[in-house]
Amino acid sequence: MFTYSIQTHIAFGDGATHHLPEHLVAQGFGRRLLLVTDPGLVQAGVAERIADLLTRSGFVPRMFAEVRPNPDEAVCLAGRDAFLEHRADGVVAVGGGSSLDAGKAIALLARQGGTPSDYALGRRPYGPPAPVCAVPTTAGTGSEVTRSAVITEQGTHRKLTLKHEVLRPPLAVCDPALTASLPPSVTAHTGVDALVHAIEGATCKGAHPIARAYAREALGLIYPALPRAVHAGDPAARRDMLLGSLLAGLAFGSTDVASVHCLAEALGSLYDTPHGLANAVMLLPTLRYNRPYAAEAYAWVARAMGLAREEDGDEGAAEALLEGLRTWLDDLGIPKLRDLPGAKPSDFDQLATLAYENTSTPSNPRPMDVRDYRAVLELAYAD
Ligand SMILES: [Fe+2]
């Protein structure tokens, strides 16, 4: 048994941003908008261009550009205050996963009150948020079509996952041109995050045929496109990456992620490691650890990526996946765990506990306890 629903209106294509005002009108957004973004996009002139476009089309945008990587509860509460002061009708979130997730949380807090931890810890019921239009500027997060937002808890630095169908944005405007100026390292890290979404979304417990259909398409796009996007930055590769990231979001957005993400979020909590980089570092060791429990699923992934043929046996295909990923990650310049700033074995117990407490742990194909997570961290550190 599975359920599936998606109510996001998606506009995808080069120059899609130019039509943002029309899409907002068509989806019934009010005139007063809070533009949630980060300082980098202000510096690059992207946020201003979008604000000008909205103003020229009769909207009244107010800029809230305080989102940082791994956004915390405080920035969401500040965004809520800005939303209420502006008497905004809706949110336009422009940026990577941090800005999109913060925008979704701000829209919820503005309409339903409380703090992010109130929702993530079940102290407050979810209700309809203000409408959100998500405009991704990285190809990785998939947050433009998912029902979750990851926010860092104030004080503890734990990752809180807000997850409810009401958080799925009603509108996503995906313009590959917005990803054109991403530096190679950010392209690589966010792109691997998208691949992990497709792998985990299709192989976690609770994966279903609709998620696998999206994931298969995503894997076929991302695997060849990411090295081209990183090394050459050609527009076709950028387009494939944004589409692959969107499709991967549609895959895991109706199932779950699994232990790669649990470990990545633990690294993000302790070291503030950017989400994509943390996922990229933990991908291979986690798949190696899971493999005895997931050979058939990983063989399916290998075939979707073109690393194995239909007639190859599952064990051989799963091995081909791990071999192929190792070469691919090396080519993308992904570092090892021991090279991550701050990472050290004396933190492994804390990291393993944080990963274990992640709400996606039960979705991993291999049952995981704290010792299992420690074993993966040791495997990663020894690599
Ligand atoms: Fe992710």
Side-chain angles (χ1 to χ4, degrees):
M1 212 279 281
F2 65 89
T3 62
Y4 183 81
S5 71
I6 167 90
Q7 63 272 7
T8 308
H9 183 85
I10 299 166
F12 185 98
D14 280 314
T17 323
H18 301 310
H19 302 285
L20 177 62
E22 298 149 47
H23 293 302
L24 289 167
V25 170
Q27 297 306 312
F29 279 66
R31 286 172 54 243
R32 302 184 68 84
L33 299 169
L34 188 71
L35 186 52
V36 176
T37 189
D38 64 67
L41 286 169
V42 173
Q43 213 163 25
V46 173
E48 206 61 47
R49 276 210 305 281
I50 290 177
D52 286 349
L53 174 70
L54 292 171
T55 304
R56 284 201 307 277
S57 309
F59 288 94
V60 186
R62 172 177 167 173
M63 191 89 80
F64 178 77
E66 291 169 33
V67 181
R68 309 269 169 187
N70 294 315
D72 62 10
E73 291 194 277
V75 81
C76 297
L77 293 169
R80 173 207 62 189
D81 291 346
F83 184 101
L84 296 174
E85 274 166 31
H86 185 54
R87 287 175 290 115
D89 303 303
V91 166
V92 174
V94 181
S98 299
S99 289
L100 303 192
D101 283 7
K104 288 155 83 168
I106 288 166
L108 176 70
L109 304 183
R111 284 286 163 83
Q112 301 295 332
T115 65
S117 48
D118 286 341
Y119 296 94
L121 305 175
R123 295 195 297 252
R124 202 176 181 99
Y126 286 89
V132 173
C133 169
V135 183
T137 62
T138 63
T141 159
S143 182
E144 63 273 18
V145 290
T146 69
R147 61 187 161 173
S148 54
V150 179
I151 304 297
T152 302
E153 188 175 38
Q154 217 60 36
T156 65
H157 284 255
R158 267 191 314 175
K159 295 287 177 182
L160 301 163
T161 301
L162 285 74
K163 189 170 177 183
H164 194 280
E165 205 52 51
V166 296
L167 292 178
R168 216 184 284 276
L171 177 59
V173 175
C174 307
D175 185 347
L178 289 182
T179 68
S181 57
L182 281 180
S185 63
V186 179
T187 303
H189 300 162
T190 53
V192 178
D193 184 32
L195 186 92
V196 178
H197 293 157
I199 293 176
E200 295 203 306
T203 62
C204 67
K205 289 211 171 94
H208 54 65
I210 296 178
R212 279 194 289 272
Y214 284 125
R216 189 201 310 265
E217 192 69 18
L219 292 165
L221 284 165
I222 295 167
Y223 181 65
L226 185 55
R228 283 179 14 238
V230 169
H231 298 308
D234 68 277
R238 295 277 188 200
R239 189 176 189 283
D240 283 356
M241 279 310 301
L242 193 61
L243 187 56
S245 162
L246 172 77
L247 291 164
L250 290 167
F252 90 93
S254 68
T255 56
D256 200 359
V257 285
S259 289
V260 181
H261 268 78
C262 299
L263 283 158
E265 288 175 13
L267 291 173
S269 293
L270 222 55
Y271 307 131
D272 223 19
T273 314
H275 178 76
L277 172 59
N279 268 286
V281 166
M282 294 317 301
L283 172 59
L284 204 50
T286 309
L287 295 196
R288 273 198 196 293
Y289 196 73
N290 281 343
R291 184 184 155 181
Y293 291 74
E296 191 183 338
Y298 290 170
W300 179 90
V301 173
R303 292 179 191 118
M305 286 166 59
L307 288 167
R309 293 165 305 175
E310 283 305 321
E311 57 268 35
D312 293 331
D314 285 352
E315 287 299 334
E319 185 56 33
L321 172 67
L322 299 178
E323 286 300 311
L325 278 179
R326 170 174 286 283
T327 311
W328 193 73
L329 293 166
D330 285 348
D331 174 59
L332 294 171
I334 302 305
K336 307 288 188 217
L337 178 60
R338 62 176 175 274
D339 300 322
L340 270 197
K344 52 187 181 302
S346 56
D347 290 335
F348 285 180
D349 282 334
Q350 195 184 351
L351 287 167
T353 303
L354 281 168
Y356 175 69
E357 287 170 353
N358 193 296
T359 49
S360 294
T361 282
S363 294
N364 195 57
R366 176 172 184 160
M368 298 293 279
D369 62 20
V370 176
R371 275 168 310 178
D372 291 299
Y373 277 116
R374 227 202 116 93
V376 180
L377 287 162
E378 277 159 9
L379 205 64
Y381 203 79
D383 190 16

